[in-house]
Amino acid sequence: MELTPELAETFGLKPTEGVIITGVLQGAPAAKAGIVPGDIIVSIAGKPVRNVSELLTQVSSIKPGNSEKFGIIRKEAPLELSVAAGTRPRPKAQAR
């Protein structure tokens, strides 16, 4: 979720700094690394994350099995977590 100016101000950030996490899939790489709803991802591998598009682009560039450091703001405190990339599951065939 994009940070609105109001949310950014609450966390002491600029509106163009970070993406707030609203949900994490159980068992997903983010969950395994300890990312929780309410975290704000501000960087990946030292590169700033300013919006959802940048987050998706940077995450998709991590090769499966490799890890990257995610800069996070949690409860107004900076935190760094190492996230190991997984493979995206294939969609199940639709019943006919």
Side-chain angles (χ1 to χ4, degrees):
M1 170 177 155
E2 304 285 340
L3 280 178
T4 64
E6 295 80 16
L7 281 174
E9 185 177 332
T10 301
F11 295 106
L13 300 169
K14 296 177 185 172
T16 57
E17 290 182 296
V19 172
I20 192 164
I21 301 302
T22 58
V24 180
L25 294 175
Q26 184 178 356
K32 290 177 183 176
I35 294 174
V36 296
D39 284 349
I40 301 170
I41 298 176
V42 294
S43 67
I44 298 175
K47 297 177 186 173
V49 172
R50 294 178 284 256
N51 55 51
V52 172
S53 177
E54 283 186 3
L55 174 68
L56 295 174
T57 298
Q58 289 186 41
V59 167
S60 68
S61 71
I62 304 170
K63 293 182 182 177
N66 289 352
S67 294
E68 288 294 351
K69 298 287 185 188
F70 281 49
I72 293 176
I73 304 292
R74 179 179 292 163
K75 296 183 182 176
E76 300 182 32
L79 177 66
E80 189 172 82
L81 297 175
S82 182
V83 180
T87 56
R88 187 176 184 115
R90 293 181 183 208
K92 294 180 182 181
Q94 293 181 345
R96 293 180 187 223

